[in-house]
Amino acid sequence: MQEQQSFTDDEKRITLIALMIVFSLSALDQTIVSTAMPRIVAELKGLNLYAWVTTGYLLTSTVMVPIWGKLSDSHGRKLILLAGIAIFLLGSWLSGLSTSMVQLIVFRAIQGIGGGALFTTAFAIIADLFEPKERARFGGLFGSVFGLASLIGPVVGGFFTEHGTVHLLGQTIAGWRWVFYVNLPLSGLALFMIVVKMPRLAHNEGAPIDYLGAALIVLTFVPLLLALSWAGQTYPWGSPIIIGLLAFSAVGLAAFLYIETKVREPIMPLELFANRTFATCNSAAFIVSMAFMGVVTFLPLFMQVGLGTAATASGLAMVPMMVGMIGASTVSGLLVSKTGVYKPIMLGGGLLLAFAVFLMTFIGPQTTLFGLGWRMFVVGLGLGPSQSLFSLAVQNAVPPHRMGVATSSGMFFRQIGQTMGVALFGALLTHNLNAELIKRAPADPSGVHQTINVTQLQAMALSRAAAGAHASADARSPAMIKATSDSFAAAMRNLFLVALAGLGVAIVIILLIPVVPMRARAVPAAVAAEG
């Protein structure tokens, strides 16, 4: 494999702009669609399939991340990025044409296949083009792009949904369809810039493809993600279908680990786990993602059902967190670029995030939007450094010919952590909420205690939004409304405490991350794993 490549400033600049477009597309897609979903369901029907629009994308994008990473190592970043953008573009176009919920779910799954290549290949290309110190600055910039795209996604989605309906050549194009069509010109621009200006980066030519390993990744993690998505909502945790999916996933994982020790070029080289930086960074990122997503996912729900906040206002309450994350991500990237030191900044971010979650334990039914907002700003400040520094540390510690698969593995573990966090914290929220309701809810003449799960909470939030969030539209008695609000606040405090414990473990793991000096971009291919 070619070890030394030089790139012109023009190649670097145009490629970087194209990657920022690609990165923003992937980040935007995670938030823009959710705003349009009520209108989509109203037109396409199929309320029972509501969650599958997100789940379908999540399944395919997650399982494809390590596969795309390995393919980029063996077939080149440029080819894989172009393929990912093309598939993402096709899925976006088809999603906009959907005439039923089933079609939309299938086309979103196609979109997710391409989306899995966008994040991982973009970060791997940055690692190929720039030395680690320079890379830290751009990693912080990309973290800011992610935060900004996530911030404007709901606004753009809401605008198109409410005002985007057009009449063209006798045909009516519903506004929600532009949520998907907006990807087309941006994807086309990125494709053009990459084809014309992005250099062909060196790769491990002729390496065989581990087809069996790729298939086993799908067979292992699709059942796992389905089980985590359904458990506690569609099916009870102890139901045969959930246990069966988890058992199938465990068998698939055992087979995957066995195969990866036998093939010449494994899809996920197990030798990487012997690298302390790779193992500790990914472990810490997994726990941080699980704790963070497990808590933040249910905050808008708590605000709407527990605090009686309107849906729009609950969405705006996330803005301070994104602002804090954008600022912290940018500043941390600049500091690492200037000093070449990343571990103290990672540790400081973890400690600040833990402190922010501790502050969240003090919220209650009387908490104002301002009181929640400034706490969320601190959460964003603590989260910012983790957006790029874990990946930077891993990239700095692995040999260049493993850059793609190492980068994708980190993102893969984060996405699995996010999914597990939402599922496990959702189950914990349901348990705690019902335990609190037993103590606080007014006595039922039948002696049967009312129970609530996350799906019912979401339905309550949707009904409030449909009724304009007026208290008079709530069919529950005032005593039951108060009991639910108080119980929800107590259940959320318990979630924060569990998340705080998880972050404590993550901080200990961060302390174990080896200090590896920033290296130059061109290094020998065989780099020994540090002890």
Side-chain angles (χ1 to χ4, degrees), residues 16-17 20 23 123 126 134-148 326 328-334 387-388:
L16 191 65
I17 293 172
M20 290 179 67
F23 202 77
F123 271 116
I126 293 174
E134 224 179 345
R135 193 186 308 157
R137 179 160 53 96
F138 292 121
L141 177 63
F142 273 65
S144 300
V145 169
F146 176 84
L148 184 60
I326 291 170
S329 178
T330 303
V331 171
S332 63
L334 291 173
Q387 291 301 296
S388 59

Side-chain angles (χ1 to χ4, degrees), residues 59 63 67 211-226 244-256:
L59 283 174
V63 299
I67 297 173
Y211 291 107
L212 184 55
L216 286 171
I217 281 182
V218 175
L219 292 175
T220 297
F221 289 99
V222 166
L224 175 64
L225 293 173
L226 283 175
L245 286 170
L246 293 175
F248 190 89
S249 176
V251 172
L253 179 60
F256 172 73

Side-chain angles (χ1 to χ4, degrees), residues 241-267:
I241 191 167
I242 298 299
I243 294 175
L245 286 170
L246 293 175
F248 190 89
S249 176
V251 172
L253 179 60
F256 172 73
L257 294 176
Y258 175 77
I259 292 298
E260 295 305 273
T261 63
K262 301 300 180 182
V263 296
R264 178 182 151 197
E265 282 291 333
I267 201 80

Side-chain angles (χ1 to χ4, degrees), residues 440-524:
R440 303 171 191 268
D444 190 295
S446 66
V448 177
H449 293 291
Q450 180 180 354
T451 60
I452 300 177
N453 59 31
V454 173
T455 303
Q456 291 170 322
L457 290 171
Q458 291 169 337
M460 290 165 62
L462 286 173
S463 65
R464 284 183 59 85
H470 295 302
S472 58
D474 199 323
R476 297 172 298 163
S477 67
M480 190 62 196
I481 292 175
K482 184 178 187 308
T484 302
S485 178
D486 292 343
S487 299
F488 207 156
M492 287 297 296
R493 283 194 292 271
N494 288 333
L495 287 193
F496 294 132
L497 290 173
V498 174
L500 191 60
L503 290 172
V505 175
I507 289 169
V508 172
I509 295 174
I510 291 173
L511 289 171
L512 299 176
I513 296 176
V515 178
V516 180
M518 289 287 190
R519 70 189 185 201
R521 177 167 52 85
V523 295

Side-chain angles (χ1 to χ4, degrees), residues 37-203:
M37 279 308 299
R39 190 66 58 87
I40 293 173
V41 170
E43 182 171 328
L44 300 184
K45 313 303 179 187
L47 179 61
N48 59 315
L49 299 174
Y50 181 101
W52 273 99
V53 176
T54 301
T55 302
Y57 184 94
L58 174 69
L59 283 174
T60 54
S61 63
T62 300
V63 299
M64 285 301 298
V65 162
I67 297 173
W68 284 125
K70 181 61 179 179
L71 289 175
S72 75
D73 281 341
S74 59
H75 290 73
R77 315 274 188 244
K78 184 172 183 177
L79 175 63
I80 297 306
L81 181 58
L82 289 173
I85 295 174
I87 297 172
F88 183 83
L89 192 154
L90 174 65
S92 299
W93 176 60
L94 292 174
S95 295
L97 294 175
S98 300
T99 57
S100 70
M101 284 292 281
V102 173
Q103 284 186 1
L104 180 59
I105 291 165
V106 171
F107 297 148
R108 282 281 286 166
I110 294 173
Q111 192 183 19
I113 292 174
L118 303 187
F119 270 179
T120 183
T121 312
F123 271 116
I125 290 171
I126 293 174
D128 289 335
L129 291 178
F130 301 100
E131 294 183 358
K133 278 192 178 183
E134 224 179 345
R135 193 186 308 157
R137 179 160 53 96
F138 292 121
L141 177 63
F142 273 65
S144 300
V145 169
F146 176 84
L148 184 60
S150 301
L151 192 61
I152 67 174
V155 177
V156 174
F159 174 80
F160 280 128
T161 301
E162 296 296 330
H163 307 291
T165 300
V166 297
H167 304 279
L168 186 65
L169 301 177
Q171 300 293 321
T172 299
I173 303 176
W176 65 263
R177 298 183 185 275
W178 293 105
V179 167
F180 301 104
Y181 291 152
V182 72
N183 293 328
L184 304 186
L186 294 175
S187 297
L189 176 61
L191 276 172
F192 174 77
M193 296 171 73
I194 291 168
V195 169
V196 172
K197 277 297 180 182
M198 179 177 164
R200 183 178 180 274
L201 303 172
H203 60 276

